[in-house]
């Protein structure tokens, strides 16, 4: 097996990487400091989709919904955005929530009903995804939230 190539076309560097889907349907999704989100075929590394207009600044983090039908991105433009990957559709869907400072962390609940977002605002917002309302706005003790995770049962958010 040839060594992997790590240059995924983000001029200013890759910030996060994940897979959407599984098996032969899996796609590699990256986001970067060049404001772009890129979707590639993991075997050929050919670009299948590129989103360059949705964010106005570096895209720091992405999180794939557990069913693989959607993914969210967080950016230095202080926004969280949602992309649809259901079936053949690959498109920007909507804005989810805004912060006053950059977004650094995202996590989906196991059932995909909630998305938690945090960053440099000293807060975590838990968004109810069916109507994009903020269900919880949690203050933190840290200056920056860099990582988030729901427990598998959805009872706790770390």
């Amino acid at each position: 097996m040839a060594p992997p190539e790590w240059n995924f076309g983000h001029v200013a560097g890759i910030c996060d990487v994940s897979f959407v889907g599984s098996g032969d349907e899996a796609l590699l999704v990256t986001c970067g400091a060049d404001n772009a989100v890129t979707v590639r075929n993991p075997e050929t590394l050919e670009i299948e989709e590129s989103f360059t207009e949705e964010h106005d600044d570096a895209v720091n983090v992405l999180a794939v919904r557990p069913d693989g039908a959607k993914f969210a991105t967080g950016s230095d433009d202080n926004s969280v955005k949602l992309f649809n990957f259901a079936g053949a559709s690959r498109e920007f869907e909507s804005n989810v929530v805004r912060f006053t400072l950059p977004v650094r962390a995202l996590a989906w609940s196991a059932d995909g009903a909630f998305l938690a977002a945090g960053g440099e605002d000293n807060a975590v917002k838990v968004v109810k995804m069916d109507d994009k309302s903020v269900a919880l706005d949690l203050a933190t003790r840290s200056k920056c939230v860099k990582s988030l995770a729901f427990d598998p049962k959805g009872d706790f958010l770390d």
Side-chain angles (χ1 to χ4, degrees):
M1 182 167 136
E5 180 182 324
W6 294 106
N7 180 3
F8 291 112
H10 292 281
V11 177
I14 294 173
C15 295
D16 206 357
V17 60
S18 189
F19 283 93
V20 173
S22 61
D24 292 339
E25 303 297 317
L27 296 168
L28 181 67
V29 182
T30 61
C31 61
D34 57 359
N35 311 357
V37 177
T38 303
V39 180
R40 292 180 180 262
N41 177 311
E43 303 250 341
T44 66
L45 299 180
E46 293 292 321
I47 294 174
E48 294 198 4
E49 200 76 45
S50 187
F51 302 97
T52 58
E53 303 294 321
E54 288 71 24
H55 284 288
D56 296 327
D57 210 335
V59 185
N60 302 312
V61 61
L62 63 92
V64 177
R65 196 169 77 176
D67 67 2
K70 298 180 188 287
F71 69 88
T73 57
S75 170
D76 276 358
D77 67 9
N78 312 333
S79 69
V80 176
K81 300 189 182 263
L82 184 66
F83 295 81
N84 185 8
F85 262 61
S89 175
R90 295 181 190 161
E91 60 193 3
F92 168 74
E93 184 174 302
S94 66
N95 292 307
V96 177
V97 69
R98 290 205 48 89
F99 287 79
T100 57
L101 293 170
V103 178
R104 302 283 182 215
L106 295 170
W108 288 93
S109 62
D111 62 2
F114 294 93
L115 178 68
E120 296 180 17
D121 275 13
N122 300 14
V124 172
K125 294 180 183 182
V126 179
V127 179
K128 188 176 173 188
M129 293 305 291
D130 62 354
D131 63 3
K132 312 291 185 300
S133 64
V134 176
L136 294 170
D137 195 344
L138 307 167
T140 67
R141 293 182 183 160
S142 66
K143 288 184 177 182
C144 180
V145 177
K146 295 181 182 176
S147 179
L148 290 167
F150 281 93
D151 80 294
K153 293 182 181 178
D155 295 334
F156 300 98
L157 175 65
D158 292 329

